[in-house]
Amino acid sequence: MTNTNDLQSLLKRIEKATTRLEDLAAKRSETAKSDETSKPSTNVSVDIEDSKAVREYELAIKPLVEHFTSCSAKIGGLVSDQAQLVEQLYAAQYDFVRLAGACKQPPSSQLPALLGAQQSAIQSACALKDSNRPSEYFDNLSAVAEGVAAFGWVAVAPTPVPYVNDMKESAEFYTNRVLRKWRESDPNQVEWVKALLSIFRELAVYVKQFHTTGLVWNPKGGDAEAAAKTLGNAASAVDTAPVSAPTQLPSATQAEPTSSSAGGSTRGALFADLNRGGGVTTGLRKVDTTQMTHKNPSLRAAGTVAGDSSTAPVAPAAAPKTKAKVPRMELQKDKWVVENYGAEQLSIEATATWQTVYMYNCTGTTLDISGKLNSVAIDNCQKCGIVFDSLVSQCEIVNCKRVQVQARETVPSILVDRTDGAHLFLSEAARDATQITTAKASEVNVSFPYETENPEDDNSVEQPVPEQLQTVVKNGKLVTTVLEHTG
């Protein structure tokens, strides 16, 4: 009886062991199959339906881009054309975010090609702005050109959120000008500004939530380059995109834009030679002692050294030919356009208070404006002098060097932005009524009449605009004051 019980117990133990072995064998088989299916191949299936970051990007950004495109269509013309480029940029970045959710982070050498579609859209938006400076919607075009750089957050680490906010602030500089110009006359422009800025605000919120320190890739995903082909997002790369635009995705590995100038080709040839390493010296010939000036005083006196007769003389490189821009001064509707002048004296007589003056790319030019008009804008000028009687709105000085501006009568506001060297001369009427705003400006001086009790003193005072500021935290807020040096 006892032997029978022992035999039954042994059989039960054998059955349990057999069941465990079968379970282990089944698990190993499933693991092997999953390893085979996870291996990257050229036929990568981009399945990212479960990626919350991708879904939120579409839900948050796509409606705003569509609304912005609709607002731009109401304005029409160049504004609508540039909005189409923004829509293309969103589509390209949406594919790129999908790519990141499905793939491992690629090598840095592959990023320029993967970012090519986005970079092309950004450069096209900037090129549209640069080629239409006389347009009445130039401020709209500039706002978009400055702001779309925010979409370059995908190439920024570890602080993409501050980068997006910085680009939004750059766009706000021009949207404020749009509001000042159109707020009263065109409500579509006000709606357009709100639609544009909402894109950048929501983009910063999205990046902060899902990509706080940079674009998040899928460490268990497949090959990005192969998946890009599946998505149909294989970019044509940088060399097929417009080159004139200054704004590009901020990638350290980004290829240098191609250039048709001789300077660009020379620079490319230089780097190509340097990449040859030791082979770069193979074309040099050996100089014998009879041609060394430090061993032959007679050669130093002669000033030249006779070369090898077998060596052909090298022709000097031809200087790059730059096409001179044609000077132009003309009235376009209510806007005077003055551009591409050299050391000349020009004059404009304003016939209506709603007329404006836009002076661009002038060097050494003196412009005298008589009569009362709306505003004066000076852009990318050097060593120029501008004198005007009276303005209704403001005088803007942007991207200039060493310019002088004089108000004979009144000017409510003067804005100096990204300028090195500006001397402002205010009349007695404008002295106490003019507001001066500076941003990224240096060497800004203001001269104005000021009488003292001493009759021997000069009646003109010149003072610099402070450049050094000191900021401290008080009661949870930043408090900024002008830094004063005493001693």
Side-chain angles (χ1 to χ4, degrees), residues 9 32 48 82 89 103 143 220 266 315 340 375 383 389 412 415 417:
S9 176
I48 49 178
Q82 196 178 46
L89 174 59
C103 303
K220 298 181 180 180
T266 304
N340 306 324
S375 64
K383 302 179 183 179
D389 289 342
L415 172 64
D417 183 43

Side-chain angles (χ1 to χ4, degrees), residues 165-230:
N165 290 329
D166 288 344
M167 297 304 103
K168 180 179 75 71
E169 292 176 359
S170 298
E172 285 178 339
F173 173 79
Y174 290 99
T175 56
N176 290 337
R177 296 172 66 172
V178 173
L179 293 175
R180 285 196 298 268
K181 183 177 181 181
W182 300 99
R183 188 192 301 273
E184 303 297 333
S185 59
D186 190 352
N188 290 331
Q189 291 280 1
V190 178
E191 187 67 21
W192 182 89
V193 169
K194 293 179 181 179
L196 175 64
L197 296 181
S198 66
I199 295 175
F200 306 135
R201 281 194 295 267
E202 193 62 33
L203 185 62
V205 173
Y206 166 79
V207 175
K208 183 177 181 180
Q209 182 177 358
F210 295 98
H211 308 277
T212 308
T213 59
L215 182 65
V216 178
W217 295 81
N218 185 353
K220 298 181 180 180
D223 179 68
E225 189 174 21
K229 297 177 181 178
T230 304

Side-chain angles (χ1 to χ4, degrees), residues 60-173:
I61 308 301
K62 184 177 180 179
L64 299 179
V65 172
E66 291 176 346
H67 178 55
F68 170 72
T69 304
S70 176
C71 293
S72 301
K74 295 178 181 178
I75 301 174
L78 296 172
V79 177
S80 180
D81 294 343
Q82 196 178 46
Q84 297 297 325
L85 296 174
V86 175
E87 199 167 26
Q88 293 177 18
L89 174 59
Y90 160 76
Q93 186 159 105
Y94 173 67
D95 285 344
F96 190 75
V97 173
R98 293 182 66 204
L99 198 70
C103 303
K104 298 178 182 178
Q105 184 170 1
S108 57
S109 59
Q110 295 181 6
L111 281 178
L114 297 175
L115 295 171
Q118 299 174 63
Q119 182 172 319
S120 176
I122 292 176
Q123 289 181 334
S124 298
C126 295
L128 184 65
K129 180 262 296 185
D130 291 335
S131 59
N132 293 280
R133 289 184 176 274
S135 171
E136 62 177 332
Y137 300 120
F138 179 70
D139 291 335
N140 301 70
L141 303 179
S142 298
V144 175
E146 292 288 335
V148 292
F151 284 86
W153 68 269
V154 292
V156 176
T159 56
V161 179
Y163 172 79
V164 174
N165 290 329
D166 288 344
M167 297 304 103
K168 180 179 75 71
E169 292 176 359
S170 298
E172 285 178 339
F173 173 79

Side-chain angles (χ1 to χ4, degrees), residues 210-454:
F210 295 98
H211 308 277
T212 308
T213 59
L215 182 65
V216 178
W217 295 81
N218 185 353
K220 298 181 180 180
D223 179 68
E225 189 174 21
K229 297 177 181 178
T230 304
L231 280 172
N233 192 36
S236 58
V238 182
D239 45 3
T240 60
V243 183
S244 58
T247 305
Q248 299 175 355
L249 290 179
S251 172
T253 59
Q254 179 179 314
E256 181 181 0
T258 58
S259 174
S260 58
S261 63
S265 60
T266 304
R267 188 162 58 250
L270 171 62
F271 285 113
D273 285 340
L274 291 177
N275 290 333
R276 290 166 55 192
V280 71
T281 61
T282 55
L284 301 179
R285 64 181 179 85
K286 186 176 181 180
V287 180
D288 56 38
T289 56
T290 61
Q291 296 177 314
M292 298 180 182
T293 56
H294 65 284
K295 293 186 178 181
N296 295 276
S298 59
L299 294 178
R300 290 197 299 271
T304 58
V305 180
D308 190 354
S309 58
S310 61
T311 304
V314 179
K321 296 181 180 180
T322 57
K323 185 178 180 180
K325 296 184 178 180
V326 179
R328 180 177 60 143
M329 182 173 67
E330 62 182 9
L331 178 62
Q332 300 177 352
K333 295 184 180 180
D334 298 326
K335 182 177 182 179
W336 284 96
V337 177
V338 182
E339 59 184 10
N340 306 324
Y341 278 95
E344 300 183 41
Q345 293 186 355
L346 308 174
S347 61
I348 292 176
E349 182 177 356
T351 57
T353 56
W354 54 80
Q355 290 183 348
T356 62
V357 174
Y358 178 70
M359 186 177 182
Y360 172 72
N361 195 33
C362 295
T363 303
T365 308
T366 301
L367 177 61
D368 189 343
I369 306 171
S370 60
K372 188 174 183 179
L373 67 159
N374 185 275
S375 64
V376 173
I378 309 162
D379 186 6
N380 195 29
C381 294
Q382 299 183 23
K383 302 179 183 179
C384 293
I386 297 90
V387 184
F388 54 83
D389 289 342
S390 180
L391 298 182
V392 176
S393 179
Q394 68 175 355
C395 174
E396 301 180 44
I397 307 171
V398 183
N399 294 325
C400 294
K401 294 182 179 180
R402 299 172 61 185
V403 296
Q404 296 183 353
V405 176
Q406 179 180 354
R408 295 192 187 97
E409 298 177 13
T410 60
V411 51
S413 174
I414 299 178
L415 172 64
V416 184
D417 183 43
R418 289 172 284 180
T419 294
D420 297 326
H423 199 157
L424 312 178
F425 296 87
L426 302 180
S427 64
E428 186 174 0
R431 178 189 61 194
D432 301 325
T434 301
Q435 180 180 359
I436 301 174
T437 304
T438 60
K440 298 182 181 179
S442 62
E443 302 178 32
V444 180
N445 295 322
V446 182
S447 295
F448 51 88
Y450 188 78
E451 296 183 1
T452 62
E453 296 179 356
N454 188 353

